[in-house]
Amino acid sequence: GCELVLRLAGVGYSTAFFLPTEHQGQSYWRENPRALWRFMPPSLARQPRPLMIPRQKEAGGTRIFVLGESAALGDPEPAFGVSRILQILLEHQYPEKKFEIFNTSITAINSHLIKPMAKELASMEGDYWLVFMGNNEVMGPYGPGSVAGESISSPWLMQTGLALKQLRLGQWIGSLGAASSEAPAAWRGMEMFAQQSIDPKDPRLKLVHQRFGENLQAIVKTGLDSGARIALSTVPVNLLDQAPFSSCGTEDDSSERLLKPLRELIDARLYAEALDGLQRLESTLSQQAQWHWMMGFCLQRLEQFDDARSYLAQARDLDCLPFRADSSINQAIRQCFEAFKSRPMALPSSTSMTRK
């Protein structure tokens, strides 16, 4: 009864990612600007980009959905993002064919949000899904470093909470406690996470990687069951040019004082001398991301590429502000591919596109 009264009174909002609409006599699905309110405080919920998906797929056309986060979207300029590049390449290669490419990616979300989105996309006649995600699992919604709501809890509690928020009654009750929430009043980008350091040894990270693998497999299965073919991508990370955002344990010790003169040697392009100094500090700083990155940088400049890659990858995995997908995330993506490779995961060989 309460639910009915609240709905009739216009209280609350639809939690669907896509809403039906009409335009010039045609039926479409459009983005729901309130879709993320179920997962995070409205003050932090990013707006999905405008999207109009025809409910009736064009005869003979190929419909492709891109699922992911800011990297898949192309933030800050989606006109140069992966979906736009893909569209140009396909239209050039197959000028006689019609392609509909819809980028459903949203900045600052992760697999916990893409999983329910995929269930809605399953009914939209996608021929291919390009799944490109993994950067926001730790710092995004329900991750241990999140600033947008509660951290990850048991799967049962999380799913129960999300189910309750689909009800107007649940939304109304939640709004009563919104005033006392400690969530930031507005989105301020990465600076909001400055105090959210996560130690690489934090046991919660193992759960993050496990849940990402489970969510990814659920997304892929949903797409395959809908009749779509799936293209999976591991997440590329610029190991050399992107130093770690933070090294744990640098606040109250002498590590910065020890590294400063070595940075000056690197700035002076004295890489061999800097490498020698870094090696002498191995017993002291070998658990810090910054030390690994400096080692890798020097080795790369000295053309010792295999050793450089190893140190740079370790620097990414030891980053205490893990915005970037680490090796465990990419391993989970590869394991997902192995789990489903007997099904039509890759694009047909007739398109001359290599499966990776």
Side-chain angles (χ1 to χ4, degrees):
C2 290
E3 181 71 12
L4 179 59
V5 169
L6 290 171
R7 286 177 180 264
L8 291 175
V11 174
Y13 54 90
S14 170
T15 60
F17 282 91
F18 306 99
L19 300 175
T21 189
E22 299 286 329
H23 180 66
Q24 296 182 349
Q26 300 295 319
S27 297
Y28 293 86
W29 286 288
R30 67 172 178 86
E31 82 290 349
N32 179 6
R34 299 180 177 182
L36 301 191
W37 289 15
R38 181 160 62 115
F39 304 94
M40 60 187 71
S43 62
L44 298 182
R46 305 304 304 277
Q47 289 287 324
R49 286 184 61 81
L51 191 65
M52 294 283 279
I53 303 173
R55 300 191 70 161
Q56 181 66 43
K57 187 173 71 173
E58 185 171 337
T62 299
R63 177 169 287 186
I64 302 173
F65 290 119
V66 179
L67 290 74
E69 307 136 345
S70 57
L73 179 64
D75 195 7
E77 184 43 75
F80 297 92
V82 61
S83 58
R84 178 61 174 158
I85 295 171
L86 179 61
Q87 182 171 6
I88 295 299
L89 291 173
L90 289 174
E91 289 177 350
H92 175 77
Q93 185 72 15
Y94 308 103
E96 74 284 359
K97 295 185 178 182
K98 172 66 176 179
F99 294 97
E100 297 178 297
I101 303 179
F102 300 104
N103 197 326
T104 65
S105 307
I106 305 174
T107 299
I109 67 172
N110 59 19
S111 65
H112 295 292
L113 283 66
I114 298 172
K115 180 181 174 181
M117 180 193 291
K119 293 180 180 179
E120 296 184 36
L121 291 173
S123 65
M124 298 184 187
E125 302 182 87
D127 296 293
Y128 300 105
W129 288 14
L130 171 57
V131 182
F132 179 33
M133 65 182 193
N135 279 322
N136 299 335
E137 296 303 307
V138 179
M139 311 304 285
Y142 302 101
S146 174
V147 297
E150 59 190 72
S151 180
I152 191 170
S153 58
S154 73
W156 184 86
L157 287 175
M158 186 173 66
Q159 294 304 321
T160 300
L162 291 176
L164 289 174
K165 290 179 181 179
Q166 288 184 294
L167 301 174
R168 300 298 197 270
L169 180 60
Q171 295 169 15
W172 177 69
I173 293 174
S175 68
L176 297 179
S180 60
S181 173
E182 297 181 359
W187 181 264
R188 301 194 310 275
M190 294 176 67
E191 69 175 279
M192 295 190 303
F193 299 86
Q195 305 304 317
Q196 299 296 107
S197 293
I198 302 294
D199 192 298
K201 299 184 180 67
D202 192 316
R204 293 177 295 175
L205 293 177
K206 184 176 181 180
L207 180 59
V208 167
H209 298 138
Q210 175 187 331
R211 290 305 308 274
F212 172 75
E214 294 170 353
N215 289 341
L216 180 60
Q217 293 203 23
I219 291 165
V220 169
K221 184 177 186 303
T222 298
L224 292 172
D225 290 347
S226 75
R229 290 174 179 260
I230 310 295
L232 278 180
S233 175
T234 51
V235 184
V237 175
N238 189 336
L239 299 175
L240 180 65
D241 299 316
Q242 175 62 67
F245 290 102
S246 176
S247 290
C248 292
T250 60
E251 296 86 354
D252 56 359
D253 61 20
S254 59
S255 60
E256 184 59 31
R257 177 178 56 82
L258 294 173
L259 291 175
K260 183 178 179 179
L262 301 179
R263 288 198 185 93
E264 293 173 352
L265 290 175
I266 291 175
D267 291 340
R269 301 184 180 183
L270 299 174
Y271 304 119
E273 291 82 349
L275 180 63
D276 183 63
L278 288 165
Q279 289 172 333
R280 289 198 295 269
L281 295 175
E282 181 173 5
S283 60
T284 304
L285 302 179
S286 60
Q287 297 303 310
Q288 292 196 8
Q290 190 65 30
W291 178 84
H292 279 272
W293 184 82
M294 292 173 68
M295 284 285 296
F297 187 89
C298 291
L299 288 166
Q300 194 274 344
R301 289 295 188 260
L302 295 171
E303 300 185 355
Q304 299 179 40
F305 300 116
D306 290 340
D307 290 339
R309 177 181 294 274
S310 177
Y311 279 103
L312 293 170
Q314 187 70 1
R316 172 203 56 200
D317 290 351
L318 290 174
D319 196 337
C320 295
L321 286 176
F323 290 100
R324 303 173 295 170
D326 61 18
S327 56
S328 295
I329 290 291
N330 278 331
Q331 182 60 25
I333 296 171
R334 295 185 180 97
Q335 289 172 349
C336 180
F337 175 80
E338 291 296 323
F340 290 98
K341 67 179 181 181
S342 61
R343 299 183 66 176
M345 287 286 290
L347 300 175
S349 58
S350 61
T351 62
S352 302
M353 297 180 72
T354 304
R355 180 171 67 185
K356 290 189 178 180

